[in-house]
Amino acid sequence: MVQELYYINTGFFKLDGGAMFGVVPKSMWSKLNQPDENNMCTWAMRCLLLKTEDRLLLIDTGMGDKQDLKFRSHFSPHGSDNLIQSILDTGYSIEDVTDVLLTHLHFDHCGGAVSKNSDGVLSPTFSNATYWTHREHYNWAMQPNDREKASFLKENFNPLLQAGVLEFYNESKKIWPKEIKVRIYNGHTQAMMAFEFDFNGENYLYCADLIPSSGHISIPFIMSYDVQPLISIKEKSELLEYAAQKNSYLIFEHDPKIAAAKVKLNDSGRVILA
Ligand SMILES: [Zn+2]
């Protein structure tokens, strides 16, 4: 049973509004997330900390802070929150984390999993944790296509494999935390994991990049980053219908303001925020 839930804010970053909303015209998306003078919108990197009977699970890690200034200048990380402090603020220590569940290996989801010390040595941030990814996704990230290459930074996950702390969800179900149900999606990237669990009598869905913000509820609002946008549409429609039926909370990893919301069907059968 999930006994405690904490949103772990790891700060904000910027991504091009056009890239985030795909074919949707700016006149529409700019009402949902106001861009700056360079068309860049602010997005959260919202992780999750879940306490179960015997484990402390961290879902995703934000982008971390080990990249150089040039890399960071493309994404303008900002805000006062960071991964480590946000975990400490819950009362738990970094050593308490037993499992790090990575939805996928894009830098803004797994960058905080590996830290760089003052000598430039890379090592797992959470020294007592098992790190989880999906084998099919890991293989996909290790031989990246030209569109996603810039998002898969090997320094974010190779040190986990080298340290022997990386587990693959497919092969290790026996030690996978039983409270967390995995949903696999292929529209955004190959074999991304979204997570479902119950807490306090409510059902929660951590959508990762399938529904990155509350502004992405509407079906055609699909990111240009997605490798298979028509698959994303199908996957998103199914998830939204499920969430509406089950009265689930959707957790939005990138929404700058709304951490979680429920959805409902309107009179014309469209899914909208409840
Ligand atoms: Zn992504």
Side-chain angles (χ1 to χ4, degrees), residues 159-250:
L160 302 176
L161 193 74
Q162 282 155 11
V165 295
L166 194 63
E167 285 280 349
F168 297 104
Y169 163 71
N170 263 354
E171 293 171 3
S172 311
K173 279 187 177 162
K174 271 178 274 174
I175 55 164
W176 175 261
K178 60 183 185 306
E179 297 83 358
I180 310 294
K181 192 176 158 206
V182 177
R183 294 167 161 268
I184 308 290
Y185 295 110
N186 296 306
H188 176 63
T189 183
Q190 193 65 28
M192 181 182 81
M193 298 196 285
F195 301 119
E196 177 175 1
F197 57 91
D198 294 318
F199 169 64
N200 237 352
E202 301 273 7
N203 184 253
Y204 286 80
L205 294 156
Y206 190 85
C207 312
D209 279 348
L210 180 57
I211 311 177
S213 81
S214 59
H216 290 82
I217 294 288
S218 182
I219 296 302
F221 286 56
I222 295 285
M223 294 191 284
S224 295
Y225 301 111
D226 289 13
V227 293
Q228 301 192 86
L230 295 178
I231 302 289
S232 291
I233 285 182
K234 196 168 164 274
E235 292 173 342
K236 184 166 85 168
S237 305
E238 284 169 6
L239 184 67
L240 285 171
E241 226 166 87
Y242 177 84
Q245 251 173 33
K246 195 148 181 163
N247 201 27
S248 309
Y249 277 106
L250 299 173

Side-chain angles (χ1 to χ4, degrees), residues 104 106 109 188 209:
H104 63 305
H106 287 161
H109 298 258
H188 176 63
D209 279 348

